[in-house]
Amino acid sequence: MENNLETELKSSIAALNSAQLEPVVRFLHLLLDKLVLLVVRPPVIAGQIVNLGQASFEVMASVVNRLHKYLDTSQDMHGRNSLLSSYIHYVFRLPSTDPSSSSPGPGGLGGSVHYATMARSAVRPASLNLSRSRSLSNSNPDISGTPTSPDDEVRSIIGSKAMERCGNRMSSHTETASFLQTLTGRLPTKKLFHEELALQWVVSSGSVREGALQQAWFFFELMVKSIIHHLYFTERLESPRKNRFPERFMDDIAALVSTIAGDIVSRFQKDLELVERINTSLAFFLNDLLSVMDRGFVFTLIKTYWKQVSTKLYALQNPTLESLRLDFLRIVCSHEHYVTLNLPCSLLTPPASPSPSVSSATSQSSGFSTHVQDQKIANMFELSIPFREQHYLAGLVLSELSVILDPDNEG
């Protein structure tokens, strides 16, 4: 009976892929809320956590793509579906891990938090150190977890007549949503939606990964809002940036940016329209992260993108790829704290004054600037490596300008 419940639950989630579009649109906000809640609070059946993160992410990617495809007339100037955009901005709230609290949706956490935004294989990459997150994430099907307490509610549901009726009538969309709502109030372990979303995106493959890539803007903006809600409601907006997020989440973000940059490089000649959307979405995502994450870490993400694109650009000398890189840089540099972001990490040693002091004016040997002083002054007007390291974004902009003004300069 317990195995049947788990199988039925997963099949009911998968059935949403073939649900009629009209009821999906009608109940979209409720549907997405329940899928998000299943990621954060999967049910516990027979003392075991039912890992529904992967299934929920797959359905979410499928639903988002279907809406974008069939409601193509309802898009803004950036190609975002207005229904999905309104869900992120007005409806989505960070789900609580407390089963006694209200489910996500308007008023679920109270207040309105606005944020500044433009609006692989199935196995987790070894470089992400999977063992580090073994006890922290239960949405990965390869990770087994132990619940904190027995789930008496699920056992009572299993033996109820309502459960038997659900077993015979899971074909309609409304009953599927009701069934999901019945089982989303179980408490396995404390998880955060943005962490699980990043993990599922990183480990996704095939059609699921392709679907998420097609509508990358939606998942990026959903992740950013989840991050900001988490920082706001846990009162961490004033805490040091380096202490705000666990290392495993930052590893997932780094892996995600690296793979998407690789997609941009490998696919820009095949599907330029898609690559332009992905490139723009990634740039706005990093722009948002500059406001909430450690900026040194975000600079490493920008560097990852820059290295991959530049390597391909130097090999092909393709103007389209150069345009993508410039668009990316333009969006990242549009951050409201651009000047602050370009302040040097460490103070540059100021050059000695080229003008002699009053006390040294009597000395003929010190009446003129020395060669060393002149060289230091000249270095201030050179696009040197130390300058680019201490003024990272401005260094990238000036490097692009240097290439444009001197096109014969190799590399």
Side-chain angles (χ1 to χ4, degrees):
M1 184 66 178
E2 294 161 351
N3 292 334
N4 292 339
L5 176 60
E6 180 177 348
T7 302
E8 189 173 9
L9 177 57
K10 291 183 177 181
S11 63
S12 66
I13 296 175
L16 293 173
N17 290 320
S18 56
Q20 295 182 358
L21 190 62
E22 181 178 350
V24 169
V25 172
R26 184 181 305 168
F27 300 102
L28 179 64
H29 294 174
L30 175 62
L31 177 62
L32 291 178
D33 277 348
K34 296 308 174 184
L35 290 174
V36 169
L37 198 57
L38 282 172
V39 173
V40 178
R41 283 161 48 192
V44 180
I45 299 177
Q48 296 294 323
I49 297 174
V50 180
N51 296 310
L52 299 174
Q54 185 179 30
S56 299
F57 179 77
E58 291 178 3
V59 171
M60 198 177 301
S62 174
V63 168
V64 168
N65 271 289
R66 289 182 63 197
L67 289 176
H68 185 272
K69 178 180 179 181
Y70 291 106
L71 301 179
D72 55 348
T73 58
S74 178
Q75 297 179 7
D76 62 14
M77 60 181 296
H78 299 291
R80 302 177 304 168
N81 181 273
S82 59
L83 194 61
L84 296 172
S85 181
S86 65
Y87 168 76
I88 296 175
H89 192 80
Y90 298 107
V91 180
F92 174 78
R93 296 292 183 269
L94 185 65
S96 171
T97 54
D98 183 1
S100 63
S101 65
S102 59
S103 51
L109 289 174
S112 177
V113 178
H114 299 284
Y115 58 106
T117 183
M118 157 230 171
R120 200 156 53 192
S121 66
V123 181
R124 184 183 176 93
S127 61
L128 298 183
N129 195 357
L130 178 59
S131 61
R132 186 166 54 221
S133 63
R134 184 169 296 277
S135 61
L136 300 172
S137 175
N138 294 291
S139 64
N140 190 335
D142 298 327
I143 303 178
S144 60
T146 303
T148 56
S149 62
D151 194 345
D152 297 330
E153 289 185 72
V154 172
R155 283 198 289 270
S156 65
I157 292 175
I158 293 175
S160 66
K161 295 181 180 180
M163 194 64 243
E164 296 176 3
R165 289 197 300 269
C166 284
N168 298 325
R169 298 186 304 165
M170 287 304 297
S171 57
S172 70
H173 172 78
T174 55
E175 289 178 351
T176 299
S178 176
F179 183 57
L180 297 179
Q181 185 173 5
T182 304
L183 293 172
T184 51
R186 321 295 174 237
L187 178 64
T189 55
K190 183 177 181 180
K191 298 195 292 184
L192 297 174
F193 177 67
H194 51 271
E195 295 181 5
E196 296 302 314
L197 179 58
L199 172 63
Q200 292 302 330
W201 199 348
V202 167
V203 302
S204 64
S205 60
S207 60
V208 178
R209 184 176 182 278
E210 182 67 22
L213 204 59
Q214 290 282 341
Q215 307 303 325
W217 71 269
F218 175 81
F219 295 102
F220 278 142
E221 293 192 15
L222 202 60
M223 194 184 304
V224 168
K225 189 167 186 182
S226 175
I227 288 173
I228 295 176
H229 269 203
H230 168 64
L231 294 177
Y232 177 79
F233 290 108
T234 57
E235 299 181 349
R236 294 187 182 183
L237 286 173
E238 302 300 327
S239 64
R241 290 170 179 260
K242 290 187 177 181
N243 301 332
R244 291 179 180 179
F245 304 99
E247 187 176 353
R248 71 184 187 281
F249 175 61
M250 299 176 72
D251 286 345
D252 288 338
I253 293 295
L256 182 62
V257 171
S258 179
T259 55
I260 291 181
D263 287 320
I264 293 173
V265 168
S266 62
R267 302 172 64 162
F268 79 98
Q269 292 177 311
K270 303 174 184 177
D271 192 348
L272 181 58
E273 181 181 356
L274 171 63
V275 169
E276 286 178 342
R277 295 203 311 268
I278 298 173
N279 188 71
T280 300
S281 300
L282 179 61
F284 275 104
F285 176 63
L286 296 182
N287 184 302
D288 290 332
L289 292 187
L290 285 171
S291 298
V292 294
M293 299 189 77
D294 175 53
R295 287 168 173 175
F297 170 71
V298 181
F299 283 167
T300 63
L301 300 180
I302 296 173
K303 182 179 180 181
T304 298
Y305 167 91
W306 203 262
K307 285 185 64 177
Q308 293 197 45
V309 175
S310 297
T311 301
K312 190 73 170 182
L313 179 60
Y314 294 153
L316 297 180
Q317 297 294 320
N318 190 294
T320 301
L321 197 56
E322 173 67 22
S323 177
L324 289 171
R325 191 170 71 168
L326 284 174
D327 284 341
F328 176 90
L329 187 59
R330 173 182 56 82
I331 295 171
V332 171
C333 291
S334 66
H335 194 276
E336 59 181 341
H337 295 149
Y338 173 77
V339 175
T340 306
L341 291 171
N342 283 286
L343 294 178
C345 303
S346 59
L347 295 178
L348 292 170
T349 303
S353 173
S355 302
S357 63
V358 175
S359 61
S360 63
T362 57
S363 173
Q364 295 182 353
S365 61
S366 61
F368 300 94
S369 59
T370 64
H371 174 73
V372 175
Q373 292 173 340
D374 292 339
Q375 186 61 42
K376 288 183 177 180
I377 295 174
N379 290 341
M380 295 178 65
F381 299 95
E382 290 182 357
L383 191 59
S384 61
I385 294 179
F387 176 87
R388 285 182 290 179
E389 290 177 346
Q390 296 185 19
H391 310 274
Y392 185 62
L393 295 181
L396 292 179
V397 173
L398 293 175
S399 296
E400 287 295 298
L401 179 62
S402 173
V403 172
I404 293 172
L405 295 178
D406 189 11
D408 296 331
N409 183 17
E410 295 184 2

